[in-house]
Amino acid sequence: MEMQEANQGSEVSPNQTIYINNLNEKVKLDELKKSLNAVFSQFGKILEVLAFKTLKHKGQAWVVFDNADSASTAIAKMNDFPFYDKRMRIQYAKTKSDVVAKADGTFVPREKRKRQEEKGGKKKKDQHHDSTQMGMAMNSAYPGVYGTAPPLSQVPYPGGVKPILPEAPAPPNNILFVQNLPHETTPMVLQMLFCQYQGFKEVRMVEAKPGIAFVEFADEMQSTVAMQALQGFKIQQNQMLITYAKK
DNA sequence: AGCACA
């Protein structure tokens, strides 16, 4: 019995923050953060999502959970998940997030990125900015999202998607009718899911009727592929029910 | 490729 795990070089020790790269750099920051929030909130409460557009940090993001288990699950289930046509690469973040450190009481302002190496003297002269509390959670602030689904190819995801095959009374149509969506679901979220399939054209939602959407493809072969792939996909607690739209 | 806290 070897207790030696194959801890290869690039591993980082568990952290409640995950570091994501290989993100699609064309996506606007605000949308990116919202979508990440949407996708990852299924694994636990999210304290913060950070992303930057500087050269050095493009295509990367940090998602801060309120505990490390959520982060672990998120990595296990979402690493390599296709997201805006690219596969997310996810690891634990290398260091503790500020929002966590502030809650900890271990926060050190980053102007002076000094290590704490005082051996006998404490300096308390600096302003303790304790007034920050964790009330900044954006968990309920963001609209609907995903379970985990098998979009592009082999998504490393065991259980979860239970394709319900509804009797489709409507004949094939290049437009799909999606039902049972959480009311907060945004077109953007649906677009992210459906745009992975060939022939995707657009998502339309009806403000007056929350919970449903129309998704248009170039032809009905393509809409059929998307329908079968995403049938029963979970957005928050809800399984999408997809049928052909009535003509 | 790239691990920060606008």
Side-chain angles (χ1 to χ4, degrees):
Chain A
M1 316 170 180
E2 60 288 350
M3 306 170 55
Q4 200 136 3
E5 299 265 332
N7 249 350
Q8 297 293 6
S10 61
E11 303 273 327
V12 181
S13 51
N15 188 313
Q16 70 194 76
T17 300
I18 56 174
Y19 167 74
I20 308 171
N21 67 1
N22 199 43
L23 291 167
N24 190 327
E25 300 178 12
K26 288 171 293 190
V27 182
K28 291 175 299 300
L29 278 195
D30 186 55
E31 173 178 338
L32 179 71
K33 291 204 265 184
K34 273 157 75 173
S35 292
L36 287 170
N37 214 289
V39 171
F40 284 100
S41 60
Q42 63 180 307
F43 303 110
K45 179 165 170 179
I46 291 174
L47 301 183
E48 195 174 21
V49 175
L50 293 159
F52 313 88
K53 65 158 121 254
T54 56
L55 291 305
K56 194 174 175 208
H57 301 114
K58 286 195 330 192
Q60 300 154 76
W62 289 259
V63 176
V64 188
F65 288 99
D66 79 342
N67 71 86
D69 279 351
S70 295
S72 301
T73 309
I75 292 173
K77 301 236 170 154
M78 299 300 281
N79 188 33
D80 291 328
F81 188 83
F83 189 75
Y84 292 106
D85 296 324
K86 299 191 67 174
R87 290 175 178 279
M88 292 190 276
R89 297 285 133 77
I90 316 178
Q91 303 166 286
Y92 293 110
K94 283 182 181 164
T95 59
K96 186 189 285 185
S97 296
D98 282 0
V99 63
V100 174
K102 284 172 182 170
D104 259 358
T106 60
F107 178 67
V108 178
R110 70 201 163 295
E111 296 182 315
K112 38 171 84 178
R113 279 240 195 108
K114 286 194 148 190
R115 301 170 173 272
Q116 55 281 35
E117 45 189 13
E118 56 270 29
K119 298 180 180 178
K122 293 183 181 179
K123 12 186 164 180
K124 290 192 169 186
K125 294 184 178 180
D126 43 67
Q127 58 278 38
H128 276 152
H129 231 27
D130 289 352
S131 55
T132 338
Q133 62 213 20
M134 316 208 351
M136 50 165 333
M138 22 198 322
N139 55 340
S140 67
Y142 283 108
V145 195
Y146 319 5
T148 321
L152 284 183
S153 46
Q154 5 81 317
V155 175
Y157 183 60
V161 179
K162 314 148 198 166
I164 43 178
L165 293 183
E167 62 266 69
N173 190 329
N174 64 306
I175 301 174
L176 300 175
F177 180 53
V178 184
Q179 300 170 76
N180 196 38
L181 298 165
H183 287 195
E184 320 85 71
T185 307
T186 60
M188 176 193 81
V189 163
L190 292 176
Q191 177 181 326
M192 243 208 42
L193 287 176
F194 284 93
C195 76
Q196 303 176 105
Y197 302 95
Q198 285 290 325
F200 170 82
K201 292 179 78 174
E202 70 167 353
V203 171
R204 293 189 294 274
M205 296 187 79
V206 184
E207 306 253 353
K209 298 201 171 193
I212 68 169
F214 296 91
V215 183
E216 182 170 348
F217 282 79
D219 66 44
E220 58 193 43
M221 302 294 305
Q222 299 171 322
S223 66
T224 300
V225 170
M227 175 170 73
Q228 288 171 353
L230 292 172
Q231 189 65 264
F233 190 83
K234 261 168 94 182
I235 297 186
Q236 290 177 163
Q237 327 289 25
N238 305 24
Q239 282 188 292
M240 283 200 286
L241 173 60
I242 312 174
T243 56
Y244 295 113
K246 285 188 260 185
K247 302 206 179 189

